[in-house]
Amino acid sequence: MRKGVGAGGLEALRGIRVQGDGGEKAQVTLGVAAPGRSVLAAAGLCAWGGGAGASQRCSWGLRFLPGDLQRLLALPPPRWACSPPAAQAAYPCVAATPAPGGVPLGRHVCGGTREPERAPASASPAAFGQPAAGGAGRRSDRAGAGCSSRVGKEQPAWLLSVLPRPSLSGHKATSDATEVPAFGLLRAVGEHPGLYISARPGSHRTGTDLTSSSSPVPAPMAPSCFGYPLSIFFIVINEFCERFSYYGMRAVLVLYFKYFLHWDDNLSTAIYHTFVALCYLTPILGAIIADSWLGKFKTIISLSIVYTIGQAIMAVSSINDLTDNNRDGIPDNIPLHIGLSMIGLILIAFGTGGIKPCVAAFGGDQFEEEQEKQRNRFFSLFYLSVNAGSLLSTIITPILRGEECGIHIKQQCYPLAFGVPAALMAVSLMVFILGSKMYKKGHPQGNIMLEVSKCVGFAVKNRFQHRRKQFPKREHWLDWASEKYDKRLITQTKMVLRVLFLYIPLPMFWALFDQQGSRWTLQATTMDGNFGAIQIQPDQMQTVNPILIVVMVPIVDAVVYPLIKKCHFNFTPLRKITVGMFLASLAFVAAALVQVQIDKTLPDFPKEGQSQIKVINLGTDVAKVDFGPGVENISVESLMATNYMTFDTTSLTGMNIAYGNQTLNQSLNFLGKERHTLILKNSGDIQTELLLDGLTSKSEDGKNKIRLINNLASTVNITMDSTHFEDVMNFSATNYTSFTRGIKEIVVVGDNSLTCKNQSISFGYGSAYTIVIQGCNNNTLALRYVEDIQPNTVHMAWQIPQYFIMTCGEVVFSVTGLAFSYSQAPSNMKSVLQAGWLLTVAVGNIIVLIVAGASKLSEQWAEYVLFAALLMAVCIIFSIMAYFYTYVDPVEIEAQLDEDEKKKMENEKSICENGTGPISQSEM
């Protein structure tokens, strides 16, 4: 039942099937209300002869199919409110039950002022699909006495007309009627008591949902394709593009924070999870806006515009050249980029979160009641589009990020990685708008979450006000809301709260699950992504999860669960959820074991207050370097290099260099937390060159950082794998440049046009090298290699076990959790549980912020173990809660409520018909 909004207080039922020509079925909503009254239009349309010379009995008709009245949300037996008038105009026969305090509907439909008449028992009610039983059945007979169940076969279809209500003295059909198809829905009748509904034969047309409270207008039914409304294909394409946009942007987000904004791992992780949490908090706001204010269609349009703007701002914020005035490849105004990024992320969070609860529901609204099979297939197609969009985006956007772009300095192409998702979001919006004329656009009907919140709030308030002992206790604390809210809402709220109570431990699962996009991606940056012919980027490892989901869901449903059932083990939904939490905990134990192996290969970068120096001796003798008191002297053989040495920055004030009897004193002034390379040579006088390396972390894309030192006697031009270094002077070095893995050709051209070349060693993944050009013999370069950062040796394939375990946990946790929640909730409160489920995801991401910020663990593997232990503890708590949970059948409970309401109505009706009222204490 959907509530209309308007002066008449219309409450119109949807989903009533009627039979027209050839047994065709359609949806019709009949709703008429008196001003200030609320009437539930329950059934029935019988068209009486219309037009000049027509007979006074029903010559054509639309009849309800058997069993339809039983589907009308368990309304009490209808009271026939109008009888056929002896007139030539067409009148509807509407079965209605006046709401408490209402008036008979016949006063406002049939145009008369007389009370509904009792019909003879001889009339057949079959035309209305209502069995003749009891008083209600007898009342319906007169309305159906003159109504033929025959449908005129000579007419191709039926048209319903909304006509001005005729006067009692002259019933005359008017020619200015607004015709709408019989296969459509009527609107506005409840707003205008001066209108009534008429039926007459006409040409076949299709119609759409017209439940608006505005004036009636013709509305053609949405076109169909293969039995599906054509509008859903626009919705599916819209969802694919939107999910591509969201997951594509999110896939590279944490690396953008770390390598473009130069945040450390902890801050990058914190902001990432804050953004994800906000994305899962805003769906509640979106649902309220859609249900209480704008409706689904306008909400999707409005927030999609906000979403698109946010994605565009993110793309602009990642343009390095926007503030790189000195053209050194580093933005000069980082705060501006941070500010734009935060604005963009906030808009994206409100956009994606706000439309999340609307799009799928809006797609479901496009189907007729009898298209349940097509609707279920639509949701499968919708879910497929979600996974297809996320899978493709997590593959494509890391590749785009790995490209090099820029006006002055070629760098990682974050503008392209964010720009393509922004373009896809714009396409998503345009596609959705293109289908606007085909959509069924429902109107705000009120938000059940607000009703539940008000009910709970009133119960708490009322209980607090009646906390003294003289007030008797009630069976449940929610029963304190009975003074204001009916028994049905209170009972349904109790069922929902029982499920929401079980949600309390669930956020811990999402705290671990969502770190696939943060900590696990950062872990992959330190691993080897060489899969033979395929080179995997660190942020592409996230695609393992959706791929495994597609594989694991059918396997678990078709193989694992049946095998468990054959073992006679009662694998209940709550047990499945517990197993899912346990598997997620094991996944983090696996991640910790991988991290221990990675840590053995990671370079030790300088921390705050520290500086590191590496010495390369290009001279012909042994060089000795003294960095001051308390530091051991360093000896470096000819054409050799040391490893990086760590010093306290404050102690590095000067150094003494000695080649045999030659010495050189030189002062030092380091800022700290930096790596330096000291180049020495004794060609005549002692030559020194102190280079700032600028390497503070492993390469995020797995490429190798290479720089070249010219140890030849003249200035040369160097080409390495199509990258050119012009005019490299003697005893100088190039900047670090990124190169992919493999063997590279190095070509050197001297001042005398002498060309020398040679093949490099095979570079691995994520390394850094200094290559010294030592000489040229017979056009062959003599090269020496100094390893600055060890290549990644732990392969990314070692992450697959942790992804596999986590995906198995997700399958039995997430899928089962939603199914369990829906099975335990009332039919009209699914949205409340959906909001609660999304809220657990948001809280889980907030937990990551709290735990990561409070733990202060210096080792990443230790943090993984901490999260695994926390989830294990929560898993135990949840298993205890699940043990004491009692499963319920909401359908059975609601059926009992319906039966109680029916008995109550019958008792009240019996009292009214017998002319008696409630017996007071004094009468006993």
Side-chain angles (χ1 to χ4, degrees):
M1 185 167 62
R2 300 184 61 166
K3 296 182 180 179
V5 180
L10 172 65
E11 292 186 311
L13 290 176
R14 305 180 59 189
I16 307 175
R17 291 180 296 169
V18 299
Q19 181 170 334
D21 178 49
E24 294 173 324
K25 298 177 182 178
Q27 290 218 1
V28 171
T29 294
L30 300 178
V32 186
R37 304 288 186 179
S38 177
V39 178
L40 303 179
L45 174 65
C46 177
W48 296 88
S55 62
Q56 294 181 3
R57 71 181 187 85
C58 189
S59 58
W60 328 291
L62 299 176
R63 64 183 177 85
F64 282 91
L65 300 180
D68 283 331
L69 296 182
Q70 284 72 32
R71 298 190 307 106
L72 300 182
L73 302 179
L75 284 173
R79 177 183 304 170
W80 297 108
C82 68
S83 58
Q88 295 180 351
Y91 283 87
C93 297
V94 180
T97 300
V103 294
L105 193 60
R107 293 178 184 267
H108 305 282
V109 174
C110 299
T113 58
R114 63 194 188 306
E115 294 291 341
E117 300 174 300
R118 183 179 296 273
S122 59
S124 171
F128 299 93
Q130 176 74 9
R138 289 192 297 273
R139 284 182 179 271
S140 67
D141 295 341
R142 179 65 176 270
C147 295
S148 170
S149 62
R150 296 177 290 106
V151 179
K153 298 297 182 182
E154 72 280 6
Q155 303 299 338
W158 289 87
L159 296 177
L160 298 183
S161 298
V162 181
L163 307 176
R165 186 174 65 184
S167 63
L168 293 177
S169 57
H171 299 286
K172 182 165 119 181
T174 60
S175 60
D176 59 346
T178 300
E179 296 179 352
V180 294
F183 298 89
L185 302 177
L186 301 181
R187 63 183 176 185
V189 181
E191 295 294 324
H192 305 284
L195 299 179
Y196 74 98
I197 305 169
S198 171
R200 65 183 178 83
S203 60
H204 174 71
R205 294 191 303 174
T206 55
T208 57
D209 187 351
L210 301 178
T211 54
S212 169
S213 59
S214 59
S215 58
V217 293
M221 180 179 285
S224 63
C225 180
F226 302 108
Y228 295 85
L230 189 59
S231 57
I232 69 159
F233 296 100
F234 290 90
I235 296 172
V236 169
I237 295 172
N238 162 268
E239 182 66 12
F240 169 82
C241 295
E242 188 275 326
R243 290 291 85 186
F244 186 106
S245 176
Y246 173 72
Y247 283 106
M249 178 275 303
R250 208 177 92 167
V252 300
L253 188 59
V254 72
L255 298 185
Y256 168 75
F257 290 155
K258 181 175 182 180
Y259 297 108
F260 187 89
L261 299 181
H262 303 292
W263 291 346
D264 60 24
D265 287 2
N266 290 331
L267 181 57
S268 299
T269 301
I271 300 300
Y272 173 87
H273 286 285
T274 301
F275 166 71
V276 175
L278 189 59
C279 288
Y280 284 94
L281 284 173
T282 49
I284 298 176
L285 179 62
I288 294 175
I289 292 174
D291 291 343
S292 305
W293 182 26
L294 294 179
K296 295 185 186 73
F297 175 76
K298 291 183 179 179
T299 300
I300 295 171
I301 290 290
S302 303
L303 292 181
S304 292
I305 294 174
V306 173
Y307 194 166
T308 306
I309 294 173
Q311 289 280 33
I313 292 176
M314 277 299 298
V316 172
S317 72
S318 62
I319 299 176
N320 181 73
D321 297 301
L322 189 65
T323 61
D324 186 16
N325 298 320
N326 58 5
R327 303 183 180 184
D328 62 350
I330 301 175
D332 298 330
N333 191 352
I334 286 292
L336 174 63
H337 292 270
I338 294 175
L340 289 174
S341 300
M342 295 304 101
I343 293 173
L345 290 177
I346 291 173
L347 294 179
I348 291 170
F350 276 95
T352 186
I355 68 175
K356 194 184 294 291
C358 301
V359 179
F362 186 72
D365 290 346
Q366 307 306 306
F367 293 86
E368 306 295 341
E369 188 68 24
E370 63 271 16
Q371 291 181 298
E372 182 177 355
K373 184 177 181 181
Q374 289 91 335
R375 183 188 290 110
N376 291 336
R377 288 179 178 174
F378 158 73
F379 284 119
S380 297
L381 183 62
F382 186 88
Y383 184 73
L384 178 63
S385 71
V386 171
N387 283 276
S390 63
L391 177 61
L392 290 177
S393 64
T394 49
I395 293 174
I396 294 173
T397 52
I399 295 175
L400 299 177
R401 177 193 58 79
E403 296 296 320
E404 292 187 348
C405 62
I407 300 175
H408 308 302
I409 301 294
K410 301 297 182 182
Q411 295 187 358
Q412 297 291 303
C413 202
Y414 288 104
L416 185 60
F418 288 136
V420 170
L424 262 293
M425 190 59 224
V427 171
S428 172
L429 176 59
M430 289 187 290
V431 168
F432 188 76
I433 293 175
L434 285 176
S436 60
K437 292 185 178 180
M438 304 180 190
Y439 298 141
K440 289 182 180 179
K441 302 169 187 175
H443 288 255
Q445 307 298 324
N447 191 277
I448 190 64
M449 288 188 292
L450 295 179
E451 291 297 317
V452 172
S453 301
K454 290 177 181 178
C455 179
V456 172
F458 181 81
V460 173
K461 178 183 176 182
N462 198 28
R463 177 66 184 91
F464 180 77
Q465 292 175 346
H466 298 81
R467 62 187 182 276
R468 295 188 181 90
K469 292 184 178 180
Q470 64 262 33
F471 297 106
K473 293 183 178 180
R474 301 187 184 182
E475 182 179 355
H476 193 279
W477 63 271
L478 266 177
D479 293 331
W480 287 95
S482 58
E483 284 85 348
K484 185 176 181 181
Y485 297 93
D486 58 38
K487 182 180 178 182
R488 177 181 292 271
L489 178 62
I490 293 174
T491 303
Q492 292 173 333
T493 305
K494 289 178 182 178
M495 289 189 285
V496 168
L497 291 182
R498 292 177 74 248
V499 179
L500 291 179
F501 176 73
L502 285 176
Y503 280 0
I504 293 176
L506 302 189
M508 199 65 219
F509 173 88
W510 298 114
L512 276 68
F513 180 83
D514 278 337
Q515 290 190 57
Q516 293 177 92
S518 57
R519 293 297 196 192
W520 286 14
T521 299
L522 293 173
Q523 184 185 64
T525 63
T526 59
M527 303 178 74
D528 184 2
N530 178 25
F531 284 80
I534 303 175
Q535 193 75 16
I536 299 297
Q537 301 294 330
D539 32 4
Q540 285 180 318
M541 282 300 293
Q542 299 175 58
T543 60
V544 174
N545 176 256
I547 292 173
L548 288 176
I549 280 288
V550 174
V551 175
M552 292 301 300
V553 168
I555 292 178
V556 170
D557 287 339
V559 179
V560 178
Y561 288 162
L563 286 177
I564 294 176
K565 188 175 182 180
K566 285 186 178 180
C567 295
H568 304 289
F569 178 74
N570 186 17
F571 202 28
T572 63
L574 293 181
R575 288 176 178 173
K576 293 176 183 177
I577 294 174
T578 305
V579 170
M581 299 171 76
F582 175 75
L583 290 175
S585 179
L586 288 184
F588 262 60
V589 172
L593 294 176
V594 172
Q595 189 64 45
V596 169
Q597 298 303 314
I598 292 174
D599 288 347
K600 296 177 181 178
T601 67
L602 290 180
D604 183 20
F605 290 102
K607 300 177 178 59
E608 196 68 41
Q610 293 181 338
S611 295
Q612 291 182 342
I613 299 177
K614 168 181 284 193
V615 180
I616 300 177
N617 182 12
L618 300 182
T620 56
D621 298 324
V622 176
K624 294 183 179 181
V625 183
D626 181 6
F627 288 102
V631 179
E632 185 178 354
N633 291 342
I634 300 168
S635 296
V636 186
E637 297 291 334
S638 174
L639 302 179
M640 297 297 291
T642 66
N643 294 323
Y644 282 101
M645 300 169 289
T646 303
F647 303 93
D648 289 333
T649 302
T650 55
S651 65
L652 286 176
T653 58
M655 61 180 175
N656 178 267
I657 304 168
Y659 273 101
N661 295 326
Q662 289 182 301
T663 60
L664 175 67
N665 290 315
Q666 190 169 334
S667 61
L668 298 174
N669 185 18
F670 292 156
L671 298 177
K673 208 175 179 179
E674 293 175 338
R675 276 188 162 190
H676 301 267
T677 298
L678 176 63
I679 307 175
L680 304 176
K681 192 174 183 180
N682 63 336
S683 56
D685 297 331
I686 298 178
Q687 294 179 279
T688 64
E689 184 71 25
L690 189 62
L691 305 176
L692 176 62
D693 293 355
L695 297 180
T696 57
S697 64
K698 278 272 199 178
S699 174
E700 75 274 15
D701 55 4
K703 291 184 177 180
N704 302 279
K705 298 292 187 179
I706 308 296
R707 67 179 174 184
L708 299 105
I709 296 178
N710 179 14
N711 197 30
L712 300 177
S714 61
T715 300
V716 296
N717 295 326
I718 305 173
T719 300
M720 180 173 177
D721 194 34
S722 74
T723 301
H724 303 285
F725 303 95
E726 301 288 342
D727 299 328
V728 182
M729 294 186 294
N730 167 257
F731 199 65
S732 65
T734 66
N735 293 324
Y736 279 107
T737 305
S738 296
F739 291 90
T740 56
R741 60 181 301 275
I743 299 174
K744 310 298 176 185
E745 184 180 57
I746 303 175
V747 180
V748 174
V749 180
D751 291 340
N752 54 2
S753 298
L754 178 64
T755 301
C756 296
K757 63 178 66 175
N758 203 345
Q759 300 291 318
S760 71
I761 62 173
S762 179
F763 297 113
Y765 194 91
S767 65
Y769 284 91
T770 298
I771 302 178
V772 180
I773 300 175
Q774 188 63 31
C776 180
N777 298 316
N778 299 323
N779 296 330
T780 301
L781 278 177
L783 303 173
R784 290 189 174 272
Y785 297 88
V786 178
E787 185 180 87
D788 300 330
I789 295 178
Q790 179 183 351
N792 300 343
T793 55
V794 180
H795 202 275
M796 282 187 192
W798 286 107
Q799 277 196 322
I800 294 178
Q802 66 199 54
Y803 273 102
F804 175 77
I805 299 172
M806 179 64 77
T807 303
C808 291
E810 180 189 6
V811 170
V812 295
F813 178 91
S814 183
V815 178
T816 305
L818 282 173
F820 163 77
S821 302
Y822 274 55
S823 71
Q824 298 294 290
S827 58
N828 65 331
M829 292 194 179
K830 308 296 187 186
S831 61
V832 178
L833 286 181
Q834 178 70 12
W837 185 265
L838 295 175
L839 189 62
T840 63
V841 181
V843 175
N845 282 271
I846 295 173
I847 290 175
V848 177
L849 305 180
I850 297 173
V851 175
S855 65
K856 303 299 181 183
L857 297 174
S858 58
E859 300 294 337
Q860 185 57 55
W861 66 266
E863 185 176 291
Y864 288 148
V865 172
L866 173 62
F867 274 106
L870 289 174
L871 182 56
M872 189 65 70
V874 169
C875 180
I876 295 172
I877 295 172
F878 180 81
S879 64
I880 296 173
M881 296 169 61
Y883 178 80
F884 291 100
Y885 181 84
T886 303
Y887 292 84
V888 298
D889 186 356
V891 176
E892 183 179 338
I893 294 175
E894 291 182 324
Q896 183 61 45
L897 290 172
D898 295 337
E899 185 68 23
D900 294 343
E901 290 179 0
K902 182 177 179 181
K903 290 180 180 178
K904 183 178 178 181
M905 291 291 293
E906 290 176 349
N907 291 337
E908 292 177 353
K909 179 180 176 182
S910 177
I911 291 172
C912 293
E913 288 180 346
N914 296 331
T916 61
I919 301 176
S920 64
Q921 293 284 348
S922 60
E923 293 175 328
M924 295 181 63

